[in-house]
Amino acid sequence: MADYDEVIRVLQHQHIELPSWAFGNSGTRFKVFAQPGVPRDPFEKIADAGQVHKYTGVAPSVALHIPWDKVDDYGKLRAYADEQGVALGTINANVFQDDDYKLGSVTNPDPQVRRKALDHLFECIDVMDETGSRDLKLWFSDGTNYPGQDSIRARQDRLAEALQATYDRLGTHQRLILEYKLFEPAFYTMDVPDWGTSYAHCLQLGERAKVCVDTGHHAPGTNIEFIVAFLLRAGKLGSFDFNSRFYADDDLIVGAADPFQLFRILHEVSTAGGLAPDTDIAFMLDQCHNIEPKIPGQIRSVMNVQAATAKALLVDIQALTVAQQAGDVLGANAVLMDAYDTDVRPLLAELRRGQGLDPNPMAAYARSGYAEQILAERVDGQQAGWGA
Ligand code: PSV
Ligand code: MN
């Protein structure tokens, strides 16, 4: 069994980043269900994120999505976040919600559209300079629907060109994080469909370009922990977008569909030293709470990542190595399963008490009255949403 105090120490430093868009209205392409009390602007999203951190103690930053979180004064937003006990984190670019991008953004055959998309990426870097963000996360919806629609190779050239221009524009303390997605919205080819494509572009760009693994962006049955292990070994794992999927890009609560997979992923991160307090891996959530209340949904998500992390840290690495080297297949598997089967709830309760928190964050939030307060206060105005 791993050293208990050491496990607690590592968990005290855990940092899970929340997505601002998880607090706004969301849905599917069939229906967005509005929820009462939802934030009406980025400030209210930050306030809600602050609640998640207040009760979990391990979610001290919020990722922003531009233009969903566009404000006139990012210095003011940053100061407000500080008051709410959180920091502004990763900046997510959005080049997928404009009519001009029907045939793609940075890979569009039209140079004027490509220019417009690149200007948005530059704008995001300007935002980062004001928010103090380290990471620019890029996800491109670019791709084609029909064979022959466009040249696959030419689109890769256009992509490489835009990525290079963006990378060159970043400050030396900033990183470019390239996310991939198997399919959707394009169905025949996506221009960044998989980790290999993202990795190859990042390799070309340089040290500060890394891959984002969104756990929902793979074909069913994909061994995500293999991808994670490979990228960690290559020093190219920049961040996670955690969520759960049953079928496609479902964006459900992380660990809800397959907590064992989450454990296996975090075991790979743990054995590569990626959970150390000085880790440069960003552990983000990328979720939408379409039918469940959003703040408790985020609290549950954070707790799920925390529980899987605790189990990953409990793996007896020494015993595992001995069994692996002896070719003891069942012994090695048993070491892993022992950790996974451990009930970590008492350990996490102890961790929270040590941090001055209620051992039950869900119950503490429910008792706080915040949900009733925002319901009463947020009655007028336009609710925030992802605008799909
Ligand atoms: C795309 O499906 C994605 O995973 C990207 O990370 C976007 O920025 C995010 O979802 C928006 O919801
Ligand atoms: Mn994502």
Side-chain angles (χ1 to χ4, degrees):
M1 191 53 47
D3 180 66
Y4 192 84
D5 293 336
E6 175 65 6
V7 173
I8 294 266
R9 200 183 63 78
V10 176
L11 288 171
Q12 277 166 350
H13 290 102
Q14 189 159 29
H15 178 158
I16 299 164
E17 186 158 302
L18 308 177
S20 68
W21 53 100
F23 301 99
N25 282 328
S26 59
T28 65
R29 63 200 167 92
F30 300 103
K31 170 77 181 154
V32 170
F33 297 104
Q35 291 192 16
V38 151
R40 295 158 299 175
D41 59 37
F43 288 87
E44 291 182 348
K45 291 185 203 173
I46 299 287
D48 290 3
Q51 292 293 305
V52 177
H53 181 50
K54 182 174 174 186
Y55 294 103
T56 61
V58 288
S61 65
V62 192
L64 301 182
H65 219 293
I66 308 297
W68 297 340
D69 296 317
K70 214 168 172 162
V71 291
D72 292 336
D73 184 347
Y74 289 96
K76 202 169 144 199
L77 190 66
R78 189 178 180 174
Y80 182 74
D82 196 46
E83 277 168 32
Q84 303 301 309
V86 292
L88 302 179
T90 300
I91 298 299
N92 290 257
N94 184 327
V95 282
F96 50 86
Q97 283 187 314
D98 193 296
D99 284 341
D100 282 343
Y101 300 142
K102 187 167 78 171
L103 300 181
S105 62
V106 295
T107 68
N108 196 298
D110 180 344
Q112 279 186 343
V113 177
R114 296 207 293 276
R115 182 69 247 171
K116 172 175 168 166
L118 190 58
D119 283 344
H120 173 70
L121 303 187
F122 287 174
E123 179 198 349
C124 286
I125 299 175
D126 293 342
V127 172
M128 290 166 76
D129 292 338
E130 289 182 61
T131 53
S133 303
R134 178 191 60 176
D135 290 348
L136 173 66
K137 181 150 71 67
L138 304 179
W139 174 70
F140 298 106
S141 60
D142 298 38
T144 63
N145 270 7
Y146 294 100
Q149 179 189 321
D150 196 3
S151 158
I152 294 173
R153 281 183 52 183
R155 292 179 79 89
Q156 285 301 309
D157 289 342
R158 296 171 202 148
L159 173 66
E161 199 183 311
L163 290 174
Q164 190 66 58
T166 308
Y167 188 77
D168 291 346
R169 177 97 165 202
L170 289 169
T172 50
H173 57 290
Q174 294 170 332
R175 310 191 306 175
L176 183 156
I177 308 290
L178 183 56
E179 183 173 352
Y180 57 91
K181 186 174 178 182
L182 173 68
F183 86 109
E184 199 201 25
F187 295 120
Y188 171 57
T189 56
M190 286 291 278
D191 292 324
V192 191
D194 53 26
W195 69 271
T197 309
S198 176
Y199 174 70
H201 280 284
C202 288
L203 216 51
Q204 185 95 43
L205 291 170
E207 184 65 24
R208 288 174 294 103
K210 304 207 181 209
V211 179
C212 170
V213 175
D214 183 313
T215 48
H217 289 184
H218 306 88
T222 300
N223 184 331
I224 300 176
E225 60 268 29
F226 174 84
I227 299 168
V228 168
F230 183 97
L231 291 174
L232 282 164
R233 181 175 176 275
K236 281 291 183 194
L237 181 68
S239 66
F240 284 102
D241 267 5
F242 281 128
N243 51 49
S244 275
R245 65 181 286 284
F246 286 105
Y247 296 102
D249 183 26
D250 302 343
D251 281 338
L252 297 171
I253 288 177
V254 56
D258 188 351
F260 185 41
Q261 178 190 61
L262 183 60
F263 161 78
R264 299 193 310 262
I265 290 171
L266 287 163
H267 168 61
E268 291 306 326
V269 176
S270 171
T271 54
L275 295 176
D278 63 348
T279 184
D280 64 0
I281 301 169
F283 297 88
M284 283 179 289
L285 305 178
D286 177 9
Q287 299 180 183
C288 294
H289 304 289
N290 299 347
I291 57 167
E292 67 275 26
K294 294 162 196 297
I295 299 172
Q298 285 286 286
I299 293 176
R300 169 56 65 199
S301 308
V302 167
M303 290 171 70
N304 285 356
V305 176
Q306 209 180 18
T309 307
K311 290 180 183 205
L313 289 166
L314 284 172
V315 173
D316 186 339
I317 297 296
Q318 212 185 338
L320 183 67
T321 310
V322 168
Q324 287 175 342
Q325 289 176 358
D328 180 0
V329 176
L330 293 179
N333 180 246
V335 173
L336 210 67
M337 294 312 295
D338 268 350
Y340 180 66
D341 289 336
T342 306
D343 180 358
V344 292
R345 286 173 298 183
L347 183 151
L348 293 175
E350 185 186 326
L351 168 78
R352 293 185 189 117
R353 276 194 207 95
Q355 293 176 314
L357 300 171
D358 191 294
N360 185 340
M362 294 290 280
Y365 171 74
R367 272 197 317 270
S368 73
Y370 186 84
E372 293 76 14
Q373 184 194 321
I374 55 177
L375 226 69
E377 283 175 8
R378 297 176 184 169
V379 281
D380 301 319
Q382 172 85 28
Q383 292 190 319
W386 64 3

